[in-house]
Amino acid sequence: VLEAICNAHPISFTHTSYYFKDQIKDYNLKPYYLKEYKNRWYIVGETEKGFRTFGLDRITNVTVDDTHKIKSKYEQAKENFDFTVGLNASDHPAEHIRLSFDIRQRPYIESLPIHHTQKEIPNNQNRYIIEVFLTYNFELKQELLKYGSMLKVISPEWIKKDVKQELKKALKGY
């Protein structure tokens, strides 16, 4: 796969999806780069339906078409992730998201930022408040939920409501 990227060759492969109940499907891809997220490697490229990301651990039967060259859209593909946590593009535009953490979380969030757009918002409360400029997607939602009671979404209101609703659903399991 890396060789195909370096030599600007398209590839075809079989992909097994976790999301769609182990659906197995064949793809043709113009590969642009490899991306690591949470200790797993992914290939980012373009199918006939647009930019996609595939877990390398779930692709098999890789075939490199060394008879064709592709024009790299590396910059365009990378821009899709400039304001994204994780791997999934979002239908939501990037926006300022303000988060308030228990002050004890400060060293963790400073040493391992949620995103490179993260900036501290000074306050007179005993809270650590940050703002990020991101698209709201599945991975960001997971990232926020992992803080449980140590996080409060300040804004925007619609994300605050979504996180609150998810926490309520989680409580129903107990």
Side-chain angles (χ1 to χ4, degrees), residues 161-173:
K161 286 179 181 176
D162 187 55
V163 170
K164 186 176 179 180
Q165 183 178 356
E166 194 67 35
L167 291 169
K168 284 180 179 178
K169 283 195 289 187
L171 279 175
K172 287 181 181 177

Side-chain angles (χ1 to χ4, degrees), residues 123-136:
N123 66 88
N124 293 329
Q125 306 156 3
N126 197 21
R127 303 285 294 173
Y128 179 58
I129 299 176
I130 64 166
E131 187 173 274
V132 290
F133 186 71
L134 291 170
T135 60
Y136 188 62

Side-chain angles (χ1 to χ4, degrees), residues 112-166:
L112 189 60
I114 292 173
H115 192 257
H116 67 83
T117 61
Q118 177 175 313
K119 64 180 181 180
E120 180 180 356
I121 306 298
N123 66 88
N124 293 329
Q125 306 156 3
N126 197 21
R127 303 285 294 173
Y128 179 58
I129 299 176
I130 64 166
E131 187 173 274
V132 290
F133 186 71
L134 291 170
T135 60
Y136 188 62
N137 67 354
F138 178 75
E139 284 96 342
L140 178 58
K141 185 176 183 175
Q142 282 188 315
E143 182 71 19
L144 298 180
L145 289 169
K146 83 177 187 182
Y147 290 100
S149 65
M150 295 186 160
L151 167 72
K152 181 178 181 184
V153 176
I154 299 172
S155 65
E157 190 64 31
W158 73 272
I159 294 176
K160 181 178 182 175
K161 286 179 181 176
D162 187 55
V163 170
K164 186 176 179 180
Q165 183 178 356
E166 194 67 35

Side-chain angles (χ1 to χ4, degrees), residues 82-93:
D82 282 350
F83 302 107
T84 302
V85 170
L87 306 164
N88 293 303
S90 173
D91 293 332
H92 303 291

Side-chain angles (χ1 to χ4, degrees), residues 32-47:
Y32 300 134
Y33 71 97
L34 296 174
K35 178 178 176 60
E36 186 267 339
Y37 181 67
K38 294 205 174 203
N39 297 319
R40 289 190 186 189
W41 284 94
Y42 298 83
I43 184 167
V44 178
E46 189 175 21
T47 69

Side-chain angles (χ1 to χ4, degrees), residues 20-85:
F20 293 110
K21 305 280 185 197
D22 296 327
Q23 176 189 41
I24 299 172
K25 191 172 176 185
D26 293 328
Y27 288 92
N28 295 311
L29 185 77
K30 296 174 184 172
Y32 300 134
Y33 71 97
L34 296 174
K35 178 178 176 60
E36 186 267 339
Y37 181 67
K38 294 205 174 203
N39 297 319
R40 289 190 186 189
W41 284 94
Y42 298 83
I43 184 167
V44 178
E46 189 175 21
T47 69
E48 66 281 350
K49 293 183 179 179
F51 292 109
R52 292 283 311 269
T53 305
F54 297 93
L56 288 181
D57 61 319
R58 288 172 271 147
I59 67 171
T60 56
N61 306 320
V62 177
T63 304
V64 177
D65 180 357
D66 56 7
T67 63
H68 291 90
K69 287 273 192 184
I70 60 171
K71 182 181 177 195
S72 179
K73 292 185 183 176
Y74 169 80
E75 291 298 329
Q76 188 180 353
K78 196 144 176 25
E79 282 176 12
N80 283 349
F81 293 103
D82 282 350
F83 302 107
T84 302
V85 170

